[in-house]
Amino acid sequence: MPIRSKDTTLVRRHTWITRITHWVWAISSFFLLLTGLQIFNAHPALYLGDQSGFAFSNTVLEIGEQDGAGFLSILGMRFDGFAVLGLSGGAARAFPQWATIPSGIDLATGRVIHFFFAWIFVGTLLIWTIGAFRSKHIQRDLTPRTSDLTGLLRDIRDHLRLRFHHGPRYGPLQRLSYGIVLFVLFPLIVATGFAMSPGLNAAMPWLPELLGGRQTARTLHFLAAFGLLIFVVVHLVMVLLAGPLNEMRAITTGWYRATTDNRKDVDHDV
């Protein structure tokens, strides 16, 4: 049951499965991102199709160094003079030492750590999906409604004005952003990761073809990871602006202080 105070309602917003998987994802994503940059540094270019090499002109992104300066090339458009991309410690590196695990050039160690946390990530996603369906978290809190679509623009304007609604349920923008991460970015990261694995290609040869080839899968994997990074940065900023103590209490204890008196809206678990 909700716990009442004078002007707000303390509601149980997150189940223990949601809270645990959130923190496992946070830790896993940290290591996956930084080891992923280490792996990318071994060949700092992205392509479309199934193959790459001198005989192909399918490069969509490249980070490198020339004449002592870093450069970034996107779809044939080149941008020179980067102080971070392309160089690190006087050596040619797509991403600097401080942004990779390990910090030195060590592809083998980076791959071992990356794959270790990748399987933790996949297992956690499976556990969360089962738990979220059983608790009706997906049906109740993440499935878009007509009211969410009609109220989305207003919710975006409120966020831009730093006017946050501490309701017991997710707002339209939260539903949309969490839905994109959980049902688009996460599955895309997993699927493209599987498509790049030679061992899994033997069991699922159709997957790389479905995604447009192994090189396209690698490009999509990188873009999905970049999208997830943007979400994490925005998510952390929103937590700080909306009230970090209340947000952290919700994701660690499950209890969230909501500004509502509607009992039927707050008596639920997510």
Tab-separated table of all heavy atoms in Angstrom, residues 146-180:
chain	number	residue	atom	x	y	z
A	146	THR	N	-2.814	6.119	-26.307
A	146	THR	CA	-3.242	7.273	-27.094
A	146	THR	C	-2.958	8.577	-26.358
A	146	THR	O	-2.525	9.565	-26.960
A	146	THR	CB	-4.742	7.170	-27.411
A	146	THR	OG1	-5.009	5.934	-28.089
A	146	THR	CG2	-5.198	8.336	-28.285
A	147	SER	N	-3.164	8.572	-25.048
A	147	SER	CA	-2.906	9.776	-24.256
A	147	SER	C	-1.433	10.152	-24.264
A	147	SER	O	-1.082	11.332	-24.167
A	147	SER	CB	-3.382	9.567	-22.816
A	147	SER	OG	-2.728	8.455	-22.217
A	148	ASP	N	-0.543	9.151	-24.369
A	148	ASP	CA	0.889	9.439	-24.431
A	148	ASP	C	1.236	10.160	-25.734
A	148	ASP	O	2.041	11.094	-25.740
A	148	ASP	CB	1.702	8.143	-24.323
A	148	ASP	CG	1.543	7.480	-22.969
A	148	ASP	OD1	1.458	8.213	-21.972
A	148	ASP	OD2	1.481	6.241	-22.914
A	149	LEU	N	0.637	9.725	-26.831
A	149	LEU	CA	0.923	10.344	-28.124
A	149	LEU	C	0.415	11.784	-28.174
A	149	LEU	O	1.088	12.671	-28.701
A	149	LEU	CB	0.294	9.512	-29.239
A	149	LEU	CG	0.809	8.067	-29.368
A	149	LEU	CD1	0.060	7.334	-30.474
A	149	LEU	CD2	2.303	8.044	-29.624
A	150	THR	N	-0.777	12.006	-27.617
A	150	THR	CA	-1.322	13.354	-27.642
A	150	THR	C	-0.613	14.294	-26.671
A	150	THR	O	-0.595	15.509	-26.876
A	150	THR	CB	-2.824	13.317	-27.306
A	150	THR	OG1	-3.009	12.687	-26.022
A	150	THR	CG2	-3.593	12.534	-28.351
A	151	GLY	N	-0.029	13.728	-25.612
A	151	GLY	CA	0.640	14.564	-24.618
A	151	GLY	C	2.140	14.636	-24.770
A	151	GLY	O	2.819	15.242	-23.933
A	152	LEU	N	2.676	14.021	-25.834
A	152	LEU	CA	4.128	13.951	-25.992
A	152	LEU	C	4.752	15.326	-26.200
A	152	LEU	O	5.753	15.660	-25.554
A	152	LEU	CB	4.481	13.030	-27.160
A	152	LEU	CG	5.975	12.852	-27.449
A	152	LEU	CD1	6.693	12.290	-26.228
A	152	LEU	CD2	6.173	11.950	-28.659
A	153	LEU	N	4.189	16.132	-27.096
A	153	LEU	CA	4.776	17.447	-27.376
A	153	LEU	C	4.771	18.331	-26.132
A	153	LEU	O	5.737	19.042	-25.855
A	153	LEU	CB	4.024	18.125	-28.523
A	153	LEU	CG	4.227	17.507	-29.908
A	153	LEU	CD1	3.388	18.262	-30.936
A	153	LEU	CD2	5.700	17.531	-30.293
A	154	ARG	N	3.686	18.285	-25.375
A	154	ARG	CA	3.624	19.072	-24.146
A	154	ARG	C	4.661	18.598	-23.137
A	154	ARG	O	5.299	19.412	-22.468
A	154	ARG	CB	2.227	18.976	-23.537
A	154	ARG	CG	2.053	19.819	-22.266
A	154	ARG	CD	0.655	19.697	-21.720
A	154	ARG	NE	0.386	18.317	-21.324
A	154	ARG	CZ	-0.792	17.881	-20.870
A	154	ARG	NH1	-1.816	18.725	-20.794
A	154	ARG	NH2	-0.961	16.628	-20.538
A	155	ASP	N	4.849	17.278	-23.060
A	155	ASP	CA	5.839	16.731	-22.130
A	155	ASP	C	7.248	17.141	-22.541
A	155	ASP	O	8.096	17.449	-21.699
A	155	ASP	CB	5.714	15.207	-22.085
A	155	ASP	CG	6.359	14.614	-20.852
A	155	ASP	OD1	6.489	15.331	-19.839
A	155	ASP	OD2	6.739	13.425	-20.885
A	156	ILE	N	7.522	17.157	-23.854
A	156	ILE	CA	8.833	17.592	-24.339
A	156	ILE	C	9.076	19.056	-23.992
A	156	ILE	O	10.159	19.435	-23.534
A	156	ILE	CB	8.945	17.361	-25.865
A	156	ILE	CG1	8.964	15.860	-26.168
A	156	ILE	CG2	10.206	18.024	-26.420
A	156	ILE	CD1	8.948	15.546	-27.655
A	157	ARG	N	8.057	19.893	-24.201
A	157	ARG	CA	8.186	21.314	-23.863
A	157	ARG	C	8.435	21.502	-22.371
A	157	ARG	O	9.256	22.331	-21.966
A	157	ARG	CB	6.928	22.073	-24.291
A	157	ARG	CG	6.799	22.276	-25.794
A	157	ARG	CD	5.770	23.348	-26.106
A	157	ARG	NE	4.445	22.968	-25.629
A	157	ARG	CZ	3.522	22.368	-26.370
A	157	ARG	NH1	3.802	22.064	-27.639
A	157	ARG	NH2	2.347	22.069	-25.873
A	158	ASP	N	7.743	20.733	-21.540
A	158	ASP	CA	7.943	20.839	-20.093
A	158	ASP	C	9.363	20.453	-19.701
A	158	ASP	O	9.977	21.089	-18.833
A	158	ASP	CB	6.939	19.956	-19.353
A	158	ASP	CG	5.526	20.522	-19.393
A	158	ASP	OD1	5.386	21.728	-19.691
A	158	ASP	OD2	4.576	19.763	-19.133
A	159	HIS	N	9.900	19.413	-20.317
A	159	HIS	CA	11.269	19.002	-20.025
A	159	HIS	C	12.267	20.078	-20.454
A	159	HIS	O	13.237	20.346	-19.741
A	159	HIS	CB	11.593	17.674	-20.699
A	159	HIS	CG	11.148	16.480	-19.926
A	159	HIS	ND1	9.831	16.076	-19.867
A	159	HIS	CD2	11.856	15.598	-19.157
A	159	HIS	CE1	9.738	14.992	-19.117
A	159	HIS	NE2	10.939	14.675	-18.673
A	160	LEU	N	12.039	20.676	-21.620
A	160	LEU	CA	12.943	21.724	-22.090
A	160	LEU	C	12.908	22.946	-21.164
A	160	LEU	O	13.906	23.660	-21.027
A	160	LEU	CB	12.572	22.137	-23.511
A	160	LEU	CG	12.815	21.078	-24.597
A	160	LEU	CD1	12.305	21.559	-25.941
A	160	LEU	CD2	14.292	20.730	-24.688
A	161	ARG	N	11.771	23.173	-20.533
A	161	ARG	CA	11.643	24.275	-19.580
A	161	ARG	C	12.016	23.867	-18.157
A	161	ARG	O	11.862	24.645	-17.222
A	161	ARG	CB	10.197	24.791	-19.588
A	161	ARG	CG	9.760	25.390	-20.931
A	161	ARG	CD	8.261	25.622	-20.942
A	161	ARG	NE	7.819	26.142	-22.244
A	161	ARG	CZ	6.536	26.259	-22.594
A	161	ARG	NH1	5.576	25.876	-21.750
A	161	ARG	NH2	6.226	26.731	-23.781
A	162	LEU	N	12.491	22.597	-18.011
A	162	LEU	CA	12.881	22.045	-16.707
A	162	LEU	C	11.703	22.001	-15.744
A	162	LEU	O	11.856	22.178	-14.533
A	162	LEU	CB	14.040	22.845	-16.099
A	162	LEU	CG	15.316	22.945	-16.959
A	162	LEU	CD1	16.402	23.686	-16.217
A	162	LEU	CD2	15.796	21.570	-17.394
A	163	ARG	N	10.516	21.752	-16.289
A	163	ARG	CA	9.320	21.570	-15.473
A	163	ARG	C	9.005	20.082	-15.441
A	163	ARG	O	8.489	19.525	-16.409
A	163	ARG	CB	8.150	22.362	-16.062
A	163	ARG	CG	8.339	23.872	-16.041
A	163	ARG	CD	7.263	24.589	-16.843
A	163	ARG	NE	5.931	24.216	-16.403
A	163	ARG	CZ	4.799	24.578	-17.028
A	163	ARG	NH1	4.879	25.322	-18.138
A	163	ARG	NH2	3.629	24.205	-16.572
A	164	PHE	N	9.359	19.431	-14.324
A	164	PHE	CA	9.240	17.983	-14.226
A	164	PHE	C	8.009	17.609	-13.405
A	164	PHE	O	7.757	18.199	-12.347
A	164	PHE	CB	10.493	17.385	-13.596
A	164	PHE	CG	11.752	17.722	-14.345
A	164	PHE	CD1	12.658	18.636	-13.829
A	164	PHE	CD2	12.024	17.148	-15.565
A	164	PHE	CE1	13.808	18.957	-14.516
A	164	PHE	CE2	13.174	17.458	-16.275
A	164	PHE	CZ	14.065	18.376	-15.745
A	165	HIS	N	7.267	16.606	-13.893
A	165	HIS	CA	6.074	16.110	-13.206
A	165	HIS	C	6.442	14.814	-12.480
A	165	HIS	O	6.756	13.811	-13.118
A	165	HIS	CB	4.948	15.861	-14.209
A	165	HIS	CG	4.586	17.075	-15.011
A	165	HIS	ND1	3.819	18.104	-14.494
A	165	HIS	CD2	4.899	17.449	-16.281
A	165	HIS	CE1	3.659	19.044	-15.415
A	165	HIS	NE2	4.310	18.673	-16.506
A	166	HIS	N	6.399	14.851	-11.165
A	166	HIS	CA	6.785	13.685	-10.367
A	166	HIS	C	5.575	12.799	-10.118
A	166	HIS	O	5.143	12.601	-8.984
A	166	HIS	CB	7.420	14.146	-9.056
A	166	HIS	CG	8.635	14.996	-9.248
A	166	HIS	ND1	9.874	14.472	-9.550
A	166	HIS	CD2	8.803	16.349	-9.209
A	166	HIS	CE1	10.753	15.456	-9.677
A	166	HIS	NE2	10.125	16.595	-9.483
A	167	GLY	N	5.024	12.298	-11.206
A	167	GLY	CA	3.866	11.423	-11.096
A	167	GLY	C	4.270	10.003	-10.764
A	167	GLY	O	5.441	9.614	-10.873
A	168	PRO	N	3.311	9.179	-10.338
A	168	PRO	CA	3.615	7.791	-9.982
A	168	PRO	C	3.946	6.925	-11.189
A	168	PRO	O	4.641	5.929	-11.072
A	168	PRO	CB	2.335	7.314	-9.295
A	168	PRO	CG	1.267	8.167	-9.883
A	168	PRO	CD	1.905	9.513	-10.108
A	169	ARG	N	3.444	7.319	-12.354
A	169	ARG	CA	3.711	6.560	-13.579
A	169	ARG	C	4.643	7.339	-14.500
A	169	ARG	O	4.815	8.549	-14.341
A	169	ARG	CB	2.399	6.258	-14.311
A	169	ARG	CG	1.442	5.353	-13.548
A	169	ARG	CD	0.216	5.066	-14.398
A	169	ARG	NE	-0.770	4.269	-13.690
A	169	ARG	CZ	-0.757	2.934	-13.644
A	169	ARG	NH1	0.194	2.272	-14.262
A	169	ARG	NH2	-1.693	2.283	-12.988
A	170	TYR	N	5.217	6.634	-15.457
A	170	TYR	CA	6.079	7.288	-16.432
A	170	TYR	C	5.270	8.250	-17.294
A	170	TYR	O	4.130	7.966	-17.662
A	170	TYR	CB	6.740	6.265	-17.355
A	170	TYR	CG	7.700	5.327	-16.665
A	170	TYR	CD1	7.895	4.028	-17.134
A	170	TYR	CD2	8.440	5.729	-15.562
A	170	TYR	CE1	8.777	3.163	-16.526
A	170	TYR	CE2	9.320	4.875	-14.936
A	170	TYR	CZ	9.490	3.586	-15.423
A	170	TYR	OH	10.364	2.747	-14.805
A	171	GLY	N	5.893	9.388	-17.632
A	171	GLY	CA	5.269	10.321	-18.553
A	171	GLY	C	5.482	9.878	-19.987
A	171	GLY	O	6.214	8.913	-20.261
A	172	PRO	N	4.854	10.554	-20.954
A	172	PRO	CA	4.980	10.163	-22.365
A	172	PRO	C	6.420	10.095	-22.859
A	172	PRO	O	6.802	9.157	-23.565
A	172	PRO	CB	4.197	11.257	-23.092
A	172	PRO	CG	3.222	11.752	-22.091
A	172	PRO	CD	3.911	11.680	-20.769
A	173	LEU	N	7.241	11.082	-22.492
A	173	LEU	CA	8.629	11.089	-22.952
A	173	LEU	C	9.425	9.959	-22.321
A	173	LEU	O	10.294	9.363	-22.972
A	173	LEU	CB	9.272	12.440	-22.632
A	173	LEU	CG	10.644	12.707	-23.262
A	173	LEU	CD1	10.561	12.571	-24.782
A	173	LEU	CD2	11.139	14.093	-22.890
A	174	GLN	N	9.144	9.643	-21.062
A	174	GLN	CA	9.807	8.519	-20.423
A	174	GLN	C	9.433	7.208	-21.090
A	174	GLN	O	10.294	6.353	-21.338
A	174	GLN	CB	9.449	8.471	-18.934
A	174	GLN	CG	10.128	9.519	-18.080
A	174	GLN	CD	9.682	9.426	-16.636
A	174	GLN	OE1	8.491	9.541	-16.330
A	174	GLN	NE2	10.627	9.204	-15.743
A	175	ARG	N	8.146	7.008	-21.346
A	175	ARG	CA	7.713	5.784	-22.025
A	175	ARG	C	8.415	5.629	-23.380
A	175	ARG	O	8.877	4.542	-23.734
A	175	ARG	CB	6.199	5.813	-22.250
A	175	ARG	CG	5.355	5.585	-21.009
A	175	ARG	CD	3.877	5.719	-21.370
A	175	ARG	NE	3.016	5.591	-20.218
A	175	ARG	CZ	2.425	4.452	-19.848
A	175	ARG	NH1	2.620	3.360	-20.559
A	175	ARG	NH2	1.644	4.416	-18.790
A	176	LEU	N	8.467	6.734	-24.127
A	176	LEU	CA	9.072	6.684	-25.453
A	176	LEU	C	10.559	6.372	-25.368
A	176	LEU	O	11.060	5.484	-26.080
A	176	LEU	CB	8.860	8.013	-26.164
A	176	LEU	CG	9.508	8.154	-27.546
A	176	LEU	CD1	8.904	7.146	-28.509
A	176	LEU	CD2	9.339	9.570	-28.075
A	177	SER	N	11.287	7.078	-24.504
A	177	SER	CA	12.734	6.889	-24.422
A	177	SER	C	13.092	5.510	-23.868
A	177	SER	O	13.971	4.821	-24.408
A	177	SER	CB	13.367	7.982	-23.553
A	177	SER	OG	12.791	8.002	-22.255
A	178	TYR	N	12.399	5.082	-22.787
A	178	TYR	CA	12.672	3.750	-22.240
A	178	TYR	C	12.276	2.665	-23.236
A	178	TYR	O	12.957	1.638	-23.348
A	178	TYR	CB	11.913	3.545	-20.930
A	178	TYR	CG	12.401	4.398	-19.790
A	178	TYR	CD1	11.580	4.711	-18.713
A	178	TYR	CD2	13.701	4.905	-19.779
A	178	TYR	CE1	12.023	5.503	-17.659
A	178	TYR	CE2	14.148	5.694	-18.739
A	178	TYR	CZ	13.309	5.995	-17.687
A	178	TYR	OH	13.763	6.769	-16.658
A	179	GLY	N	11.182	2.885	-23.960
A	179	GLY	CA	10.761	1.905	-24.949
A	179	GLY	C	11.774	1.753	-26.075
A	179	GLY	O	12.064	0.636	-26.520
A	180	ILE	N	12.336	2.868	-26.540
A	180	ILE	CA	13.351	2.809	-27.596
A	180	ILE	C	14.587	2.056	-27.115
A	180	ILE	O	15.148	1.220	-27.835
A	180	ILE	CB	13.719	4.229	-28.052
A	180	ILE	CG1	12.556	4.864	-28.806
A	180	ILE	CG2	14.958	4.213	-28.938
A	180	ILE	CD1	12.783	6.314	-29.194
